[in-house]
């Protein structure tokens, strides 16, 4: 798989830490290098567990937590991808740096990591701007994502 910023992925049989359940999970690569990816690790969800009110495409902040909302069937990227359900990305301590080696191993499995689409630069810039509003980002992640956003 070609790893690049803006990738929308489905991770098959993802094991959730909070309840040990296993189900497919979506993730978005915010920034990728030759060896690492900064991605949304969790909380890309169709569940409105924070009971946020604003559900218009784009970034909103509620309860001091920024989130990006994709309405169901709203086409994102240049590959006609859309989420089949209303989907939220809650930026709450969930941006992680991961080794691409780990994801390449998972992607090579029959039911591993599947590329679904790629955000356009404008869409990625909007998602990054939203992520950077989070007070939960580490200083390292904030610095790297800010620098990358400035190049888009």
């Amino acid at each position: 798989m070609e790893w690049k910023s803006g990738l929308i992925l489905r991770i098959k049989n993802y094991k959730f830490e909070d309840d040990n359940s296993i189900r497919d999970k979506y993730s978005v690569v915010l920034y990728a290098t030759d060896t690492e990816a900064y991605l949304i690790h969790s909380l890309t969800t169709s569940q409105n567990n924070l009971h946020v009110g604003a559900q218009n495409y784009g970034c909103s902040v509620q309860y001091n937590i920024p989130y990006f909302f994709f309405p169901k069937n709203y086409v994102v990227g240049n590959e006609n991808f859309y989420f089949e359900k209303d989907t939220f990305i809650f930026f709450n301590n969930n941006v992680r740096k991961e080794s691409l080696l780990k994801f390449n191993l998972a992607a090579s499995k029959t039911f591993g990591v599947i590329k679904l689409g790629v955000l356009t630069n404008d869409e990625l810039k909007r998602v990054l701007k939203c992520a950077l509003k989070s007070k939960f980002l580490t200083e390292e992640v904030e610095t790297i994502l800010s620098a990358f956003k400035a190049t888009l």
Side-chain angles (χ1 to χ4, degrees), residues 5 78 119-126 128 148 151-152:
S5 306
N78 295 325
L119 297 173
T120 66
N121 279 353
D122 287 341
E123 291 166 334
L124 180 56
K125 194 173 192 175
R126 289 182 73 181
L128 286 168
F148 173 63
T151 68
L152 294 175

Side-chain angles (χ1 to χ4, degrees), residues 83-96:
F83 292 99
E84 293 177 357
K85 297 179 180 180
D86 288 345
T87 299
F88 301 84
I89 300 174
F90 293 107
F91 294 102
N92 183 14
N93 195 26
N94 62 332
V95 177
R96 301 271 197 271

Side-chain angles (χ1 to χ4, degrees), residues 53-112:
Q55 294 185 11
N56 298 315
Y57 171 78
C59 186
S60 296
V61 179
Q62 202 161 356
Y63 311 118
N64 291 321
I65 297 175
Y67 65 94
F68 203 93
F69 179 71
F70 296 96
K72 71 178 179 179
N73 301 324
Y74 185 92
V75 176
V76 296
N78 295 325
E79 299 178 36
N80 293 320
F81 172 76
Y82 57 89
F83 292 99
E84 293 177 357
K85 297 179 180 180
D86 288 345
T87 299
F88 301 84
I89 300 174
F90 293 107
F91 294 102
N92 183 14
N93 195 26
N94 62 332
V95 177
R96 301 271 197 271
K97 176 174 69 172
E98 297 284 355
S99 161
L100 289 184
L101 178 60
K102 173 183 172 180
F103 280 96
N104 282 329
L105 289 172
S108 68
K109 296 180 182 176
T110 304
F111 299 107

Side-chain angles (χ1 to χ4, degrees), residues 11 14-17 25-28 30 38-44 89-90 93-98 102-103:
I11 303 169
Y14 181 88
K15 184 176 180 180
F16 288 79
E17 296 170 4
K25 187 70 179 161
Y26 290 98
S27 187
V28 177
L30 297 177
Y38 291 80
L39 60 135
I40 305 299
H41 185 260
S42 61
L43 299 182
T44 303
I89 300 174
F90 293 107
N93 195 26
N94 62 332
V95 177
R96 301 271 197 271
K97 176 174 69 172
E98 297 284 355
K102 173 183 172 180
F103 280 96

